[in-house]
C-alpha cells in the first residue's frame, strides 16, 4: 500500500485495512460479510496478469469464500436499490416542482467537495445513500432479520475501487442507520488483491461461483454504475418506467456514454423533455455547477434537470483504489467490460430485479416511503474547509 506513484520519498501510505479484516476473519467470532462494487469486477484480474476489462465476478465470489468470508454480497444489488430511490426522487422533484437539478451523490469525493466548496447546492443532492452504504444498512437490518443473526454479531466489509469510500462509511449519523456502524471496513481493489496473494490463492484458475441470495442478484443497470454516465443511464431506464408506466424498447443511451468531460442531452420521455448532464473529473463537475449557478442566480431557465457527477476520470473504473497505472486505453478496456456485463444481462432495468421487488414487498414498503427514508437516505451540510 505504498503510494509511491505520488509521494517521491514513500512517506505517505494509504490507509490499509487488510490486517483488521484478516483479524475479523481469523477470530471467527462474528458473521463476516463482504460486498464488491461494480468497477472491481473488471479490474481485479489485472493484479493477477489478466487483461484489463476481463469480467472476473464469479472468480471473486469464489476467492472471497476461500478467504473465509461468511456471506458474499454484491454492491450491484444495492445499485439497483439506489436507482429505485433516486429515480423516484427525481420523478417526484420533476413532477411536483421540487428543487432541481437533482445531482447524484454516490461519489463521496464529490459530495465532500460540494459540502465544502459549493454548499449552496446541498438541497440539490440526491438524498439517496450510495450503493455501498445502502448494502451495509440492508445487511444489518433486512438480512439480519431474515437470517436470524444479530446485527451486533455482524461485520460488513466493502471492496471498492475507491479510497474515498473509507471516509464515506462514517461521514454522517445516517451511516449508523442499523443501530451499528453499517459498514465496518472498506478496502480497495488493490487491498483485496493483496489478501488473495497473501492467502496463496491461484486467482486466474479459480472456478466461478454465485453470490449469496437476498442481497446479491443484479441487473445490467446496477453494473453500469462503474462507468461515467452509468448512473444516469440506469436512472433513465427506470425513470422512463416510473413516468410512463411502460418499459423502454431501447435501453441504451449512447449520449451519456464515452470519455468526453461533460456530456449533455435532452431526453424525450413520451413528449416530456428532460435535460441531463454527465460530468467526470472535478474540473468538469465544477464547470457544470458554475453554469447552473449562473442561470439560477439570474433567474433564467435551468440548463439541466438531472446531473451525474463522478470525481474520477472515466468514473469508478478509473478510481483511486484500482490497480495502479491506469491509462485511457486501460480505462477503455475496463469500460468495455462493464458494458459487456450489462449487454449479457437478461434483466437490464433496476425495477425488474426480483430481489429488489421482493425487498420492497417484504420489508421496505414503497420507494421514498417511511422505512426506505429512514434506512436508505442521508443528509448533507455545509462543512468548514479548514478546522483548527
Ligand atoms: Fe470513488 Fe472515484 Fe468512484 Fe468517486 S468516481 S466513488 S472517488 S472511485
Amino acid at each position: 500500500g505504498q503510494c509511491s506513484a505520488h509521494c517521491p520519498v514513500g512517506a505517505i501510505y494509504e490507509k490499509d485495512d487488510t490486517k483488521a479484516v484478516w483479524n475479523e476473519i481469523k477470530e471467527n467470532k462474528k458473521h463476516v460479510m463482504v460486498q464488491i462494487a461494480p468497477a472491481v469486477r473488471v479490474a481485479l484480474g489485472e493484479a493477477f496478469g489478466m487483461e484489463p476489462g476481463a469480467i472476473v465476478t464469479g472468480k471473486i465470489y469464489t476467492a472471497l469464500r476461500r478467504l473465509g468470508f461468511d456471506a458474499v454480497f454484491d454492491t450491484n444489488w444495492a445499485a439497483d436499490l439506489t436507482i429505485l430511490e433516486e429515480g423516484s426522487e427525481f420523478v417526484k422533484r420533476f413532477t411536483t416542482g421540487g428543487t432541481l437539478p437533482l445531482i447524484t451523490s454516490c461519489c463521496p469525493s464529490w459530495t465532500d467537495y460540494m459540502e465544502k466548496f459549493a454548499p449552496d447546492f446541498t438541497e440539490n443532492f440526491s438524498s439517496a445513500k450510495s450503493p455501498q452504504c445502502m448494502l451495509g444498512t440492508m445487511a444489518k437490518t433486512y438480512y439480519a432479520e431474515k437470517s436470524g443473526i444479530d446485527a451486533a454479531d455482524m461485520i460488513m466489509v466493502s471492496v471498492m475501487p475507491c479510497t474515498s469510500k473509507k471516509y464515506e462509511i462514517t461521514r454522517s449519523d445516517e451511516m449508523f442507520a442499523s443501530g451499528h456502524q453499517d459498514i465496518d471496513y472498506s478496502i480497495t481493489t488493490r487491498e483485496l488483491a493483496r489478501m488473495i496473494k497473501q492467502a496463496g490463492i491461484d486467482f486466474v484458475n479459480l472456478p466461478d461461483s454465485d453470490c449469496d441470495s437476498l442481497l446479491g442478484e443484479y441487473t445490467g443497470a446496477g453494473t453500469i454504475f462503474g462507468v461515467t454516465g452509468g448512473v444516469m443511464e440506469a436512472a433513465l431506464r427506470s425513470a422512463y418506467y416510473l413516468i410512463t408506466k411502460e418499459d423502454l424498447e431501447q435501453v441504451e443511451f449512447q449520449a451519456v456514454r464515452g470519455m468526453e468531460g461533460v456530456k449533455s442531452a435532452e431526453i424525450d420521455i413520451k413528449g416530456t423533455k428532460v435535460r441531463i448532464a454527465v460530468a467526470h473529473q472535478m474540473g468538469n463537475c465544477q464547470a457544470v455547477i458554475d453554469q447552473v449557478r449562473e442561470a439560477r442566480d439570474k433567474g433564467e431557465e435551468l440548463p439541466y434537470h438531472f446531473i451525474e457527477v463522478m470525481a474520477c476520470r472515466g468514473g469508478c473504473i478509473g478510481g483511486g483504489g484500482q490497480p495502479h497505472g491506469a491509462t485511457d486505453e486501460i480505462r477503455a478496456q475496463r469500460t468495455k467490460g462493464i458494458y459487456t456485463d450489462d449487454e449479457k444481462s437478461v434483466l437490464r432495468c433496476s425495477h425488474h430485479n426480483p430481489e429488489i421487488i421482493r425487498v420492497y414487498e417484504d420489508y421496505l414498503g414503497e420507494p421514498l416511503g417511511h422505512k426506505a427514508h429512514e434506512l436508505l437516505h442521508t443528509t448533507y451540510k455545509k462543512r468548514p474547509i479548514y478546522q483548527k
Side-chain angles (χ1 to χ4, degrees), residues 106-110 161-165 309-312 315-321:
C106 46
C107 170
S109 294
W110 173 246
C162 178
T163 45
S164 296
K165 291 275 166 188
V309 275
M310 292 291 161
C312 295
C316 300
I317 50 100

Side-chain angles (χ1 to χ4, degrees), residues 361-374:
E361 282 172 5
D362 279 12
Y363 193 76
L364 287 170
E366 293 291 303
L368 306 181
H370 178 69
K371 197 156 187 176
H373 184 81
E374 224 169 59

Side-chain angles (χ1 to χ4, degrees), residues 373-388:
H373 184 81
E374 224 169 59
L375 296 177
L376 305 179
H377 289 258
T378 184
T379 52
Y380 303 93
K381 63 180 182 198
K382 184 179 165 68
R383 290 185 198 261
I385 293 168
Y386 174 70
Q387 264 176 322
K388 276 191 183 172

